[in-house]
Amino acid sequence: EGFQYVSGTNIGQCLVLAGNDDGRGGVWLARFNAGGRIVWERETPSVIGYSVASGKGGNIYTGRSTPVTYWQHYFYPGPAPWGDFAVTQFDSAGNSRWERTFGSFRHEQLISVVSTIDGGVIIVGGVRQRPTQIIRLDSDGNKLWERSIGLFVYGAATMLADGNVAAVSLRQDGSVAVWFLSSVGDLLSEQVIRPATEKTTDQPYWKFQLAPDPRDRTAVYVLSYIGRRSPFANRPQIIRLHQDQGISWTVELDRDCDTQFAVFPNSEIVATCPLRDRVGLYRISASGTAAAHSLTLPLCHTILGSEQGLYPRAYPTVASASELWVFGQGLSSSSRRTCQWLAKFSLEGFAKR
């Protein structure tokens, strides 16, 4: 329908909306129309929110981690400020339909929610140094199945066109693998996409993203990269992976940045690379050929390595067969305050809409 949904976290008393009047912050959800104007906003009390997904029937899902209780922290002490993870379903008008919470008092963290072809949702989360949890719910919030894979270090999942599921995570030996699961959660195949690396004392930074290939129901695109404490210490890789045949091609970007990508109906990929005062864009063809572009952003400048510890972000999503949404955050070059921006670009020369 041309709408765009943005979800994030409000810290402290930055913003108070319906559903949260205690000023503690929470998960913020907004719906933008095709012209970039806010249609409605909602907020749900939480510690932190990571993900939003829209799907069949107008269902909208947000994922969040809930605050810990006194007893959770007492019996399971640790550095994480969250308790369980939860997913909420909204209708297209922003009305909350239901919420489900998962966890077992171990500082669970939700990483992402992914809509399914039947209107349901897949949840990815877990506890550090424990297996990644993949949970599938139907559109009414009933759990269909749950599976554990690999080791929880920011895993990701996606649904394929045939109803099967692909999930990526770190394995116990330090390698990275993609698990292909059936629509009922049974293992179909396991493909290693990155060999084990030497473990260091400075805690490597891992990040993953998955998306299906629109023209091949048994293939996915995988983003993976490894850094140190900063997400800019290693160059990202985007891989095309087949369920049975393995890796088709690998593209390594020529810059170190916090990359995200979007896949268009013709299987072309656009990856974003937020830089100091602009966003680098990479167009990758279905055959794995890459071309670099650069966009200047007058709305606010993203500044690397700020004293607030804020890294620039730029999240792309497909607006149409020829247009791209990009949502980003950074620091204002004038006020040094956090700023967010939403822009729409044409794929023809990346002209800003």
Side-chain angles (χ1 to χ4, degrees), residues 7 25 148 159 173 190 205 211 214 237 268 279 284 319:
S7 180
S148 296
M159 171 157 277
D173 64 359
E190 181 179 345
Y205 178 98
Q237 291 182 344
E268 181 181 5
V279 170
I284 304 173

Side-chain angles (χ1 to χ4, degrees), residues 184-249:
V184 294
D186 296 328
L187 179 64
L188 299 175
S189 70
E190 181 179 345
Q191 300 281 351
V192 176
I193 62 170
R194 206 158 190 166
T197 58
E198 182 180 352
K199 294 185 177 180
T200 59
T201 57
D202 54 356
Q203 298 180 1
Y205 178 98
W206 300 81
K207 183 172 183 180
F208 307 112
Q209 184 185 354
L210 272 176
D213 185 336
R215 301 193 300 183
D216 188 340
R217 64 178 55 191
T218 58
V220 294
Y221 295 108
V222 191
L223 164 70
S224 74
Y225 66 84
I226 312 166
R228 303 293 181 180
R229 289 188 181 276
S230 163
F232 312 109
N234 201 7
R235 292 180 178 177
Q237 291 182 344
I238 295 179
I239 299 166
R240 186 184 185 273
L241 180 71
H242 191 275
Q243 175 180 313
D244 301 313
Q245 301 169 9
I247 296 175
S248 303
W249 50 255

Side-chain angles (χ1 to χ4, degrees), residues 91-106:
D91 62 20
S92 59
N95 302 309
S96 175
R97 287 175 170 168
W98 51 256
E99 178 175 294
R100 300 291 184 269
T101 302
F102 304 91
S104 55
F105 292 177
R106 294 174 183 166

Side-chain angles (χ1 to χ4, degrees), residues 274-329:
L275 306 173
R276 183 174 297 274
D277 58 355
R278 64 193 186 281
V279 170
L281 290 178
Y282 295 84
R283 292 186 70 169
I284 304 173
S285 69
S287 61
T289 302
H293 303 266
S294 181
L295 295 175
T296 300
L297 298 172
L299 301 177
C300 74
H301 296 291
T302 53
I303 300 174
L304 299 179
S306 73
E307 66 276 3
Q308 299 178 24
L310 177 70
Y311 295 111
R313 299 282 191 264
Y315 300 102
T317 54
V318 174
S320 67
S322 61
E323 292 181 316
L324 178 76
W325 285 106
V326 181
F327 172 73
Q329 75 171 13

Side-chain angles (χ1 to χ4, degrees), residues 59-104:
N59 296 336
I60 309 159
Y61 297 96
T62 60
R64 63 192 181 94
S65 296
T66 62
V68 296
T69 66
Y70 170 80
W71 293 109
Q72 284 174 311
H73 187 72
Y74 182 83
F75 286 109
Y76 298 93
W82 44 78
D84 304 327
F85 53 80
V87 60
T88 305
Q89 185 195 79
F90 296 86
D91 62 20
S92 59
N95 302 309
S96 175
R97 287 175 170 168
W98 51 256
E99 178 175 294
R100 300 291 184 269
T101 302
F102 304 91
S104 55

